[in-house]
Amino acid sequence: METSTRLFTNVISLSISSEFKPLTLFSNSFLTISSAIPLLNLAMQLYLKFIIVENLYDMMSVEELRIEYKRRFEEYRRKKVELEHKIRLLRDDKEKIERYIEEVRKGAPKLRIEEIGKEFGVEIRDTFVGRMMLLRLLRESMRRVDAELRDAERELRRIDECLRDGITCPVCRGLGRLTKSRIERMERIVKEVLEVEECPLCGGSGKIRDC
């Protein structure tokens, strides 16, 4: 980090000096602003690479990230139980509404229509009109229950997938390894050297899994 920061600082100092005048960047190297632009771009890229990775570790250590993801998996397990219960209730409601729709369509007696209407908060006075109103209400309720059921099932599938397959590691972004850059200078030659190491959070798997 210190190497890239020094290089970045040197290049910035170069860029704000007098335009088109020879400037000293390193001990035996003279450049103009125009010839230093590619070097400036390289230094900026390397500097940002270091900043992104090191800021992540500054905000949360590897151990803190492990604790955070342990809590997340605990929350997933709790949410899974809630969703499974909700899905059972929604399926029961759906079956009940389907039975009611079938009853009303087949001409259930007025008393039975009044009972169903009362359950849904509708007062049935006229048999024919009440039957039409009740059918519309039941179908609207069915659409609502179907939508809630689809959402709950989709969320449950997502949670099951996370619990089964794990979560993409936020540090290495699923690669299982980290690439770090450092600058090597040899006289007038400046080059970027890449070093690859195993991700300390996921251990090289690219996934954070429930323990």
Side-chain angles (χ1 to χ4, degrees), residues 125-177:
R125 295 180 179 178
D126 181 84
T127 303
F128 177 78
V129 175
R131 191 187 306 276
M132 295 300 102
M133 288 176 58
L134 188 54
L135 273 175
R136 185 176 64 180
L137 178 62
L138 289 170
R139 286 166 179 157
E140 289 174 355
S141 298
M142 178 66 80
R143 285 192 291 270
R144 177 184 55 80
V145 169
D146 274 337
E148 289 185 24
L149 185 57
R150 284 194 302 272
D151 290 344
E153 289 174 337
R154 182 169 54 250
E155 179 67 9
L156 181 59
R157 286 194 299 271
R158 186 185 69 83
I159 289 176
D160 280 337
E161 182 179 344
C162 289
L163 292 172
R164 182 184 68 248
D165 302 332
I167 302 171
T168 300
C169 178
V171 175
C172 66
R173 299 182 182 180
L175 296 176
R177 61 189 182 278

Side-chain angles (χ1 to χ4, degrees), residues 93 96-97 100 115-122 134 137-138 141 144:
D93 285 346
K96 181 175 68 174
I97 294 172
Y100 287 171
E115 289 175 353
I116 297 173
K118 186 176 181 181
E119 184 175 341
F120 284 84
V122 177
L134 188 54
L137 178 62
L138 289 170
S141 298
R144 177 184 55 80

